[in-house]
Every structure is written in structure tokens, then in C-alpha cells.
Amino acid sequence: MSSNEISAGKRTEWEKSNETTVMEFVVLGFPGSHSLQISMFMLFLLMYILTVIGNVAIITLVMTNHRLHTPMYFFLCNLFFLQIWYTTASVPKTLAIFLGKSRTLSFPSCLLQMYFMFSFGCTEYFLLAVTAYDRYLAICYPLHYSSIMNNTLSTQMAITCWVCSFLVISIPAFLISRLSFCGPNVINHFVCNIDSWIVLSCTDTHTVETAAFIISVIVILGSCVITLLSYIYIISTILRIPSAKGQQKAFSTCSSHLAVVIIWYGSTIFLFVKPSARSLLELTKIVNILNTIVTPLLNSFIYTLRNREVKEALCNVFHGT
């Protein structure tokens, strides 16, 4: 055996042993001055508190108001419950980083955070599509709506959304658990995500990137097609209503959902439907704030301010009726 082969063999052994050394990751967050960190902490904390309070308030309102015990509000309660945990999966650690606490996360903790965040995000796509289908049935087939979208079907659809999401995201989570990290361990983000691990891994990430891209296309574009087709039929049905008052009343039942759909899809299609995770990492971190913190906060206000039935229920609560 030549000296070159011996040295190559030693390098290979050293590389293999070194691959197992990185078991903790440093979450960079938003680098800056101490005053900037405190300002970001206060902003994130305020948005987090408002998100939790707003979503819990609407869930409580729906549960205590019998007029809101319909399939649409059942799906929305699932959505609001989801958003509480979706935000909770990332914000507390981010707040700790802003306060100068430990930025490190073990590989299992980081992987678990990513798994829950992406599973919750996937569930939101499915729930938005299911809610759009529910509005399609209510507006296009009002006479048959109650018999089609009964409690059994709505419960089955909601459970399917949750189960399928957690199963789908287990695929990239498993593939990431097989990656090796033997170099830098700094995650240039405020959460653990697939893109950062692809950048940091010292092994081939083609399988992870391909699987993540295919799942993103199926989940995001698939649910988007269902939502889009539902609203095409909804709008065409509304336009055929002879009176302007009738059109306004019909559109008011789905305008809140449509606004949420536009905000959610607008921020997330960029994040997940892209050919490579190694590009635009900084921009990805900024846009991720929208669907991680801002969107869950806005959703509760949108459904409160734009939904007539929710506003009436709130008025009844405040007036004690």
C-alpha cells in the first residue's frame, strides 16, 4: 500500500470520526446591539401574547356560542388551536436568545422543533383547503350543505388533516436525522429548519432537498389548487345572485377566510417552493417572520373584525346577552 493510500485512509477515518462531533447547534437569531435585542424581544413578546390571547378568545367564543357550532367554525377552531402551538414551537426559544440566554440546541431538540413547526404548517395548508371546500359547499349547494358537511364528515376531515401532516413531515425529519455535521454549527436563523441543516451538513443533501421540494410542491400547490378551484366556483356562484345585497351577504361568509389564505400563501410559497435552500438564506429568515409570528396574529384580528357572526357573538358577550 502506498503512502498516499495510507494518508487517504487516515483522512477518511478522521473525517468519519469528526462527523459525529457536532451534536449541538447555535441558533444565531438576529445579531445586533443590545438595544436592538431588547427591542426585538419586546416586539416578539407582545405579538406572541396577543396571538395566544386572540386565538384562545375566539376558540372560547365559538365553544360557548351555540350559533357558531357549525362545520366552518369547527375548522376555524382547529386552525386557531394550531396557530397557538405553531407560534409556541418557535417564539419562546427566540425570546430567550434575545435576552442573551443560551443560543445552543441539541440536535434532537432542534430536529423536534423543526418537525413540529413544519407539521403544524402543513396542517394549516390542509385546514385552509378544507375550509375553502366547506365554503364552496355552503354557497354553491346551500340546500344540500347540511346533509353533506355533517359533524361526522367535518371531524373526519379535520383528523385527516392533522394525521397526514405529521406523517408527511416525518419523511424529511427522518432523512435529516441521517445527515452528518462535521463543520460549522451556527444556524443562521431564529428557528431550526431544513434549509439551515442542508447548508451545514458535510454529507450529500440531495435526497433531503429533493424530498423537501416534492413535499412542498404537493402540500402547498396541492392545497392551493383546491382552494383556488373552490373560490372560482364560489365567486361565479356569487356573481349569479341577482341582488347586490345577496351577493354581499354570500361573500361576507368567506371574505375572512380568503384574506387569511392570501396572507398565508403569499408568505409561504416563497419559503418552500424554491429549487435550492442554499440561496436567499437571509431573505428566507426575514420572510419566515411573517408566517411564524405575524400571520397567526393577524388571523385572529381578521376573523374578529371581518366576520359578522363573530362580531355579533362578541357584542352579545360584552352586553351580557
Side-chain angles (χ1 to χ4, degrees):
M1 182 180 291
S2 65
S3 59
N4 289 335
E5 290 174 336
I6 294 173
S7 60
K10 289 181 179 179
R11 284 197 303 270
T12 302
E13 291 176 2
W14 179 84
E15 288 169 354
K16 287 182 179 179
S17 63
N18 203 35
E19 285 176 358
T20 61
T21 57
V22 178
M23 292 304 295
E24 285 191 340
F25 295 89
V26 178
V27 182
L28 190 61
F30 298 91
S33 62
H34 179 69
S35 59
L36 176 63
Q37 298 294 312
I38 297 300
S39 299
M40 294 290 287
F41 170 81
M42 297 301 294
L43 178 62
F44 273 55
L45 179 62
L46 177 62
M47 289 193 294
Y48 177 63
I49 292 174
L50 290 175
T51 297
V52 173
I53 292 175
N55 285 284
V56 168
I58 294 181
I59 292 173
T60 304
L61 182 68
V62 172
M63 292 178 65
T64 56
N65 193 303
H66 293 287
R67 291 182 59 191
L68 301 180
H69 289 182
T70 63
M72 183 184 78
Y73 289 104
F74 171 72
F75 292 132
L76 291 180
C77 280
N78 275 267
L79 182 64
F80 294 134
F81 176 78
L82 158 82
Q83 289 177 342
I84 294 171
W85 292 107
Y86 180 65
T87 307
T88 302
S90 61
V91 173
K93 181 60 180 180
T94 305
L95 293 175
I97 293 173
F98 286 140
L99 290 179
K101 306 295 182 180
S102 175
R103 294 175 179 265
T104 61
L105 273 175
S106 66
F107 180 65
S109 298
C110 219
L111 186 62
L112 197 62
Q113 184 193 57
M114 184 279 298
Y115 175 71
F116 278 112
M117 284 195 63
F118 277 71
S119 296
F120 289 141
C122 185
T123 306
E124 179 149 2
Y125 287 112
F126 292 151
L127 285 174
L128 288 175
V130 166
T131 308
Y133 177 70
D134 172 77
R135 291 298 83 205
Y136 157 75
L137 291 177
I139 294 175
C140 298
Y141 301 95
L143 299 179
H144 303 285
Y145 173 71
S146 298
S147 59
I148 298 174
M149 188 59 72
N150 51 42
N151 291 334
T152 302
L153 180 60
S154 58
T155 301
Q156 290 174 344
M157 293 178 75
I159 292 174
T160 301
C161 289
W162 285 91
V163 173
C164 288
S165 299
F166 278 79
L167 289 177
V168 165
I169 301 303
S170 65
I171 297 173
F174 171 76
L175 293 175
I176 289 172
S177 69
R178 309 290 294 176
L179 294 178
S180 297
F181 304 92
C182 50
N185 66 335
V186 177
I187 294 178
N188 186 15
H189 212 295
F190 61 94
V191 293
C192 300
N193 67 350
I194 296 176
D195 291 0
S196 299
W197 273 323
I198 288 173
V199 172
L200 294 176
S201 177
C202 58
T203 50
D204 183 29
T205 60
H206 178 72
T207 304
V208 178
E209 289 194 74
T210 303
F213 181 74
I214 291 174
I215 291 172
S216 299
V217 170
I218 293 174
V219 172
I220 299 175
L221 296 186
S223 61
C224 185
V225 167
I226 295 173
T227 304
L228 182 63
L229 288 176
S230 298
Y231 273 103
I232 289 175
Y233 283 106
I234 288 171
I235 293 172
S236 63
T237 301
I238 291 176
L239 292 178
R240 288 198 297 268
I241 298 176
S243 66
K245 186 177 181 180
Q247 292 180 354
Q248 185 178 4
K249 183 179 179 181
F251 187 72
S252 66
T253 63
C254 59
S255 60
S256 301
H257 177 262
L258 182 60
V260 170
V261 165
I262 293 172
I263 295 173
W264 177 254
Y265 279 99
S267 61
T268 55
I269 284 180
F270 167 81
L271 290 174
F272 303 119
V273 184
K274 55 183 185 293
S276 175
R278 299 179 183 273
S279 60
L280 303 176
L281 198 58
E282 285 292 336
L283 185 58
T284 297
K285 182 167 65 173
I286 295 172
V287 176
N288 215 311
I289 298 175
L290 289 176
N291 70 323
T292 304
I293 302 174
V294 178
T295 302
L297 173 63
L298 290 177
N299 287 353
S300 58
F301 286 101
I302 289 173
Y303 277 105
T304 303
L305 299 176
R306 293 185 60 87
N307 192 292
R308 179 179 56 83
E309 292 174 322
V310 174
K311 285 192 290 186
E312 288 178 357
L314 282 173
C315 289
N316 291 337
V317 170
F318 287 125
H319 289 88
T321 59

